[in-house]
Amino acid sequence: MSIRSHVHSFVFAVLLAMTLPVLGMATAESTYPAGQQELIAAQESNRGVNFVEVKDVKVVRLLKDDLFGSKHQKWVVQLANGREVAAVYNIDVTPRIPLKVGDLISMGGQYIYDRGGGLIHWLHEDRRARRPNGYVELNGVRYGASDQNGIYKN
């Protein structure tokens, strides 16, 4: 390949990188807040993540508790890309979280993709140590420990 070809390839790559955001084709890594990039990228590529952390997402709906089998508190958050993700929190393992619509929360857990936006679960301590401990953080308090009050100690 000649020097001229290398220069043309380089110029094309630079122009392409500058044009994608204008065309609305930027990647999650370059467009969204750092604390949401991994989850948004997984959602946009239709894949799950064994453990993902997401920061500063807004609670947009509180759903009715799931009382069949293991009991779960459920809610929906909105990501920076405007899409929504459901969250389920096992209230048999740890006490419920005092969530309200409009709260900004952070979470860590397993993400399962589906066409509806997906689901984050395992938002609590794994007492069998098979996966990283999940959590939900609200107003500086980290919930999900399996002790009596459900709050992780700092």
Side-chain angles (χ1 to χ4, degrees), residues 47-59:
R47 64 180 171 80
V49 179
N50 188 47
F51 186 81
V52 64
E53 293 182 284
V54 60
K55 308 284 185 201
D56 300 322
V57 290
K58 185 177 186 178
V59 176

Side-chain angles (χ1 to χ4, degrees), residues 88-137:
V88 296
Y89 180 79
N90 190 324
I91 52 179
D92 279 342
V93 173
T94 185
R96 85 175 28 263
I97 302 167
L99 290 173
K100 300 183 304 296
V101 170
D103 283 340
L104 282 180
I105 63 172
S106 297
M107 303 182 287
Q110 183 180 38
Y111 173 67
I112 299 173
Y113 169 79
D114 69 28
R115 286 178 285 168
L119 168 78
I120 298 179
H121 74 133
W122 282 98
L123 295 169
H124 54 80
E125 182 178 352
D126 181 7
R127 293 179 282 185
R128 295 186 183 133
R130 293 177 297 183
R131 59 181 45 86
N133 288 329
Y135 68 90
V136 176
E137 192 168 304

Side-chain angles (χ1 to χ4, degrees), residues 36-101:
Q36 296 185 29
Q37 290 174 358
E38 183 180 9
L39 179 57
I40 290 172
Q43 195 181 55
E44 290 177 349
S45 62
N46 306 338
R47 64 180 171 80
V49 179
N50 188 47
F51 186 81
V52 64
E53 293 182 284
V54 60
K55 308 284 185 201
D56 300 322
V57 290
K58 185 177 186 178
V59 176
V60 293
R61 278 193 310 284
L62 299 176
L63 305 175
K64 188 175 180 179
D65 288 352
D66 178 358
L67 302 176
F68 299 99
S70 295
K71 295 173 182 66
H72 287 83
Q73 181 180 1
K74 302 186 315 184
W75 63 89
V76 177
V77 297
Q78 186 173 47
L79 302 173
N81 66 353
R83 293 185 65 190
E84 296 180 346
V85 175
V88 296
Y89 180 79
N90 190 324
I91 52 179
D92 279 342
V93 173
T94 185
R96 85 175 28 263
I97 302 167
L99 290 173
K100 300 183 304 296
V101 170

